Amino acid sequence: MNRAIRHMWIAAVAIFAVLLLALTSIMFFQQRSLAADPWNTRTLYQQFGKDRGPILAGGQEVARSVPTDGDYAYQREYTDGAAYAPLTGYFSPIHGATGLENAMGEQLSGDSDSQFYDRFMATLSGNQPSGASVEMTVDPELQDLAYNLLDGRKGSIVALEPSTGRVLAMASSPSFDPNALASHDSAGVIEASQRLNADPNQPMSNRAIAGSLYSPGSTFKIIDTVAALESGEYTTDTIIPNPQDLELPNTSTTLPNYVGGTCASRTQADLEFALANSCNTPFAQIAMDLGQDRISETAENFGYGQELSIPLAVTPSSFPTDLDDASLAMSAIGQYDVRSTPLQVAMISSAIANDGVLMRPQLIQEVRSSDLSVIDSFRAQQMQRSTSADVANTVTDLMVSSVDDGIARGAQVPGYSVAGKTGTAEIGSSGTSSSWFTGFAPADNPQIAIAVVYDDIPAGQTSDATSNAQQIFEAVLNR
Amino acid sequence: MTTPAAAPTAPTAGSSASSAPVQRRRRLTELLLLVVAWTIGIGANILVDPEQASSEPAHVYRSAAVLIGGSLLLHLVLWFRARYADPYILPIVVTLNGLGIAMIHRIDLLMDSSAGTNQVLWTAIGITAAALVLLFLRDHRRLRQFTYISLVVSALLLVLPLLPGLGTEINGARIWISIGARTFQPGEIAKITLAIFFAGYLSTNRDVILLAGPKVGPVRLPRFRDLAPMFAAWLVSIGVLVFQRDLGTAILFFGLFVAMIYLATGRLSWIVLGLLFVAAGGVVASQTFGHVAARLDAWWHAFDPAIYDAPVGGSRQIVQGIFGMASGGLFGQGLGQGRPDLVSYSNSDMIITAFGEELGLIGLSAILLMFFLLISRGFRAALGTPDGFGKLLAGGLASIMVIQLFVVIGGVTRVIPLTGLTTPFMSAGGSSLLSNWIVAALLLAISHSARRPVVTGPASAEDIAEFEAHEREEQERAELHETERAERAERRRQRQQAAEARKATAESKSSEAQS
């Protein structure tokens, strides 16, 4: 009988092995696919059952989890939602997560690898593990100011700290209330998202880093200037022809200077005059003279064509390839197929301000676990050198005179030297244009680099871009 | 009674080198392991509800009192009555029971139910029953006397739920009886009585069954009449269960039947025949019974939307259970952190998924290994005990547990179709807990006889006293037997004499009449 008993035991071993294999298959190998199954409401309950960490700006909570009595234990609440929506995104039971809620999702929910120890200790102590808090680099005062200046009009403002790459403000307008999407009332959420998606002004797209990108217009002349100075063929003393109209090679079209502007007063210009008054024809000639590769290379040195994660994904700005001279001339003044995010334009100013060194733009100041220990904190990183310090300083001087004596006069802050460049990019044949300002202040010790853009400004009208920048400069410099 | 520490120094230890190795009593080992078991079981109860210090502390104190008090009681009973009992069985069972209470209480908190309180009460009842079994069943071999009574009791227990007025149908299965407000599942107790019957019958008739039958080809079949009572028992249980629509228990009983025949005879060919019967039975059942066909569909096509959303017999429970386990992953959500309430019956039939979710693959594997160890100790007791009845009973009880776990865990992992059965010691359910505690007591009793040393050398006074007490008891019983037999023989002789006397008188009368 003992033989049979032993055999029975071996059968039991086999049965347990089968059971363990089946469990391993479900709980380990199929874990991810099962978690993603549409019938698996558990994944949602889990995410919304967690005390997700807050997102902070300057120590204030702009996104936080509040306990609810409904199906889910916690609901996400956004204070000052619209101003920060392009940064925080939303965390919705129906539409998932966007913005930092998505990009920093693992840390906020406490699931990142660096929080393993906290999770483990929470499991041991039986406490609900709570997520990390994410502090943004954004200055709440500037963020609110920027959002309020945009005042619901289509446009965007991005401010960087040139020496570190900190994003000080990033506003996109019109914006939306993320609370409407984070609600646990499904019908309300669906209604809100349908309304927002149908809105022709696209309030849910973050114009500052994504959206449909802009033509940089005359702000791109800073790149031309850098390329010209780097080539050694141009100095600030070089005299460049400044015809009112430049006939583009092999076309019947001409490229004009701004009709009625200061440019018309001279037929020859140096770089200072051309940049300060934003004359088109000298830069078109410089570009055709230097060639596409030089311009393109300089643009790349300032960040064009590069994927960025701040950790929000930034759509790469682009400078077109395979250009004939006519298209190159148009591209040199930021028209044709040059596409820029406002962040990219701010990066140009930032690199000039920081003696030619481009710091990597970053949005996260610090990640702290629920017991306040620091998991990750900001480290300034050099992204690349955009140009030499000499060239950067020369361009700074040129940009300062643009504010002092040129068409960027509106950006002057009493008692400080401000560097700036305006821009206007015509959008196709719509008769409207994107209106830009980019610059930094103070010119001798830059604390802030900025890009402001407004969409759909009717031809002939000036926008608030320059005055907005001035107000932000003033806010920074006078505190 | 001496302390257990004295046991290893008993002279028996050294002098029996020539015979089987002498097992130590290991009662201290048991006590130490019990401390570990309490830590795990009560710790889990604290962990599932971190705030209970303020909300409802009574639960933790109640379960701690029952687990510690109950297992100490059993420990003492073992010390006095079954000193050589296996030291691992009790701690494992206490751990599993404690974890079960914690999970049930944890699900109570989510569902606003009170199954946990009930479970603590039934734990106390189960432990008391186990203590009584160990106290009054000095030798498991006595159960052999109840072979046929067990059969009758099994049949009665299985028929009870079918009686009108007494039986209660819950979720389409008529396997409960209700006494007052409480329900009880007599089938759970029937698995023990059936095991006793099978063990008693097979240990007595083993040789006849093995050798008396005709040989067909290479297979020697048993004579029908030798297996007839077995088949009767099997037919009763299966028949009743088909009427009660409880597939899980039917599989359990059939498995028990096949396992015990194999344990008794060692004939693999009969197992194969048995499994063919199962296959045939399964095909017939799936064609005949709608609920069986539905179970098969929910198994094969669990992720089919039509079957997932089926109002009756759908696969939602299986699929949600699998989601639950998957969400546990390797390390689990942590006790008290998951959502086991999303699975229906997560505190009874599906409790394994709740453990998977909150303790993860690692925790669930640990639970499985504890079950495996428990079962192995059961088989070990079967190997060690000298009597055939004890071997079959221990082997049978261990097999029941293997089959039950296979049906439950295989069911929730889609290895086999899901059928409703409880997870021993863990699932909410008084009858299940009671019967499993009795099983544990029986295994402890048999393991005592398996590990008790056979005296071969100079015995301690204690051993001698025990031996003499045993001898005296046997002697008395033999004398009693002898007296009774003598009395019976005397009565028979007197009856015969009387009859002969009457016959003689009658004959003399008739001869007188003739003359």
Side-chain angles (χ1 to χ4, degrees), chain B residues 160-486:
Chain B
L160 273 183
L162 290 175
L163 297 181
L166 192 60
T168 307
E169 184 167 323
I170 302 176
N171 308 315
R174 201 181 168 91
I175 49 174
W176 280 267
I177 55 170
S178 49
I179 306 159
R182 300 204 177 279
T183 54
F184 193 80
Q185 226 177 310
E188 284 285 351
I189 304 294
K191 75 184 184 191
I192 302 176
T193 52
L194 269 181
I196 293 175
F197 165 71
F198 287 150
Y201 185 83
L202 287 169
S203 60
T204 310
N205 300 300
R206 181 170 173 263
D207 294 341
V208 190
I209 294 169
L210 268 179
L211 303 171
K215 194 163 183 179
V216 180
V219 180
R220 185 180 290 280
L221 293 175
R223 286 188 306 190
F224 177 74
R225 64 172 169 200
D226 294 328
L227 275 183
M230 297 285 293
F231 275 115
W234 174 67
L235 271 180
V236 167
S237 49
I238 301 299
V240 167
L241 289 164
V242 166
F243 289 117
Q244 292 168 346
R245 316 184 82 200
D246 182 19
L247 204 56
T249 317
I251 292 172
L252 181 64
F253 284 175
F254 187 78
L256 172 67
F257 173 74
V258 172
M260 293 206 69
I261 288 187
Y262 177 71
L263 284 174
T265 63
R267 290 278 168 87
L268 198 62
S269 50
W270 295 359
I271 300 288
V272 174
L273 277 179
L275 292 178
L276 287 178
F277 271 125
V278 175
V283 171
V284 172
S286 67
Q287 302 293 321
T288 328
F289 303 107
H291 65 283
V292 178
R295 296 251 180 188
L296 286 176
D297 274 344
W299 175 45
W300 272 117
H301 311 291
F303 284 84
D304 181 325
I307 289 167
Y308 179 80
D309 288 326
V312 179
S315 62
R316 180 181 292 267
Q317 187 185 24
I318 302 181
V319 171
Q320 286 298 332
I322 285 176
F323 286 158
M325 289 188 289
S327 82
L330 212 50
F331 301 101
Q333 299 283 333
L335 269 180
Q337 312 292 342
R339 286 295 300 266
D341 57 316
L342 295 178
V343 182
S344 43
Y345 299 104
S346 55
N347 69 1
S348 55
D349 292 0
M350 303 293 282
I351 201 164
I352 284 295
T353 67
F355 277 109
E357 179 176 3
E358 303 214 320
L359 296 181
L361 181 59
I362 291 175
L364 197 47
S365 304
I367 290 177
L368 240 65
L369 286 180
M370 274 195 279
F371 273 119
F372 179 67
L373 195 54
L374 180 61
I375 287 158
S376 298
R377 298 318 294 178
F379 282 122
R380 182 68 191 80
L383 279 179
T385 193
D387 64 310
F389 173 77
K391 280 181 189 299
L392 283 177
L393 186 55
L397 293 175
S399 303
I400 286 181
M401 223 174 270
V402 177
I403 297 161
Q404 196 162 346
L405 286 167
F406 181 62
V407 168
V408 173
I409 303 176
V412 300
T413 52
R414 285 179 72 209
V415 173
I416 56 169
L418 180 67
T419 52
L421 268 188
T422 54
T423 306
F425 300 107
M426 296 191 123
S427 293
S431 5
S432 163
L433 203 51
L434 175 62
S435 92
N436 283 308
W437 268 107
I438 295 175
V439 168
L442 291 174
L443 288 180
L444 282 168
I446 298 170
S447 71
H448 169 66
S449 89
R451 301 175 77 251
R452 184 174 48 191
V454 182
V455 178
T456 52
S460 66
E462 193 189 322
D463 291 329
I464 292 165
E466 189 185 333
F467 177 74
E468 282 174 348
H470 190 72
E471 283 289 284
R472 223 172 12 253
E473 210 173 287
E474 289 292 304
Q475 186 71 34
E476 278 163 16
R477 195 184 301 159
E479 279 166 10
L480 196 69
H481 257 252
E482 200 51 47
T483 332
E484 279 172 358
R485 216 175 55 175

Side-chain angles (χ1 to χ4, degrees), chain A residues 103-380:
Chain A
M104 298 298 286
E106 283 198 342
Q107 287 86 346
L108 288 168
S109 64
D111 291 333
S112 72
D113 290 341
S114 53
Q115 280 148 285
F116 176 80
Y117 177 75
D118 293 339
R119 278 201 300 281
F120 182 68
M121 291 312 285
T123 306
L124 279 192
S125 65
N127 287 325
Q128 160 83 248
S130 46
S133 65
V134 172
E135 166 101 44
M136 296 187 289
T137 54
V138 166
D139 179 333
E141 193 192 328
L142 295 184
Q143 179 72 16
D144 284 339
L145 177 61
Y147 181 68
N148 291 333
L149 288 172
L150 288 168
D151 195 23
R153 294 170 291 177
K154 287 199 276 179
S156 171
I157 296 178
V158 175
L160 300 173
E161 188 173 61
S163 56
T164 60
R166 280 193 178 88
V167 177
L168 299 175
M170 181 180 280
S172 173
S173 169
S175 185
F176 65 101
D177 180 10
N179 289 307
L181 295 163
S183 160
H184 291 177
D185 161 29
S186 323
V189 170
I190 290 167
E191 192 271 325
S193 75
Q194 279 171 350
R195 183 170 44 75
L196 290 167
N197 280 321
D199 191 328
N201 289 335
Q202 296 179 303
M204 286 204 288
S205 82
N206 184 354
R207 290 154 199 271
I209 55 170
S212 48
L213 306 198
Y214 293 86
S215 296
S218 301
T219 58
F220 196 78
K221 288 172 185 166
I222 299 173
I223 305 271
D224 300 334
T225 309
V226 170
L229 292 169
E230 280 180 346
S231 70
E233 295 167 31
Y234 294 85
T235 67
T236 46
D237 300 328
T238 309
I239 300 301
I240 311 155
N242 179 28
Q244 179 61 28
D245 290 292
L246 181 72
E247 246 179 62
L248 295 179
N250 304 322
T251 63
S252 53
T253 52
T254 55
L255 189 153
N257 279 337
Y258 187 58
V259 182
T262 320
C263 285
S265 65
R266 294 190 197 175
T267 54
Q268 288 188 320
D270 57 9
L271 275 172
E272 181 176 345
F273 180 83
L275 194 71
N277 297 294
S278 202
C279 306
N280 290 335
T281 51
F283 288 105
Q285 291 171 82
I286 289 172
M288 288 190 284
D289 178 25
L290 296 176
Q292 172 192 326
D293 291 348
R294 285 248 177 89
I295 304 292
S296 175
E297 194 185 312
T298 308
E300 278 163 23
N301 288 343
F302 281 88
Y304 276 80
Q306 295 188 34
E307 305 244 353
L308 268 180
S309 159
I310 65 169
L312 300 179
V314 180
T315 312
S317 301
S318 61
F319 186 81
T321 52
D322 296 331
L323 298 167
D324 54 24
D325 274 356
S327 310
L328 175 58
M330 293 301 285
S331 298
I333 59 166
Q335 303 274 21
Y336 191 62
D337 279 345
V338 188
R339 314 296 293 169
S340 280
T341 57
L343 176 66
Q344 174 61 63
V345 174
M347 283 158 67
I348 297 173
S349 283
S350 174
I352 298 293
N354 195 36
D355 292 332
V357 174
L358 178 60
M359 301 305 287
R360 184 175 295 280
Q362 293 182 74
L363 193 52
I364 306 301
Q365 179 64 37
E366 202 162 66
V367 180
R368 281 175 183 269
S369 70
S370 50
D371 64 1
L372 298 183
S373 63
V374 176
I375 294 173
D376 197 7
S377 61
F378 181 87
R379 282 183 313 278

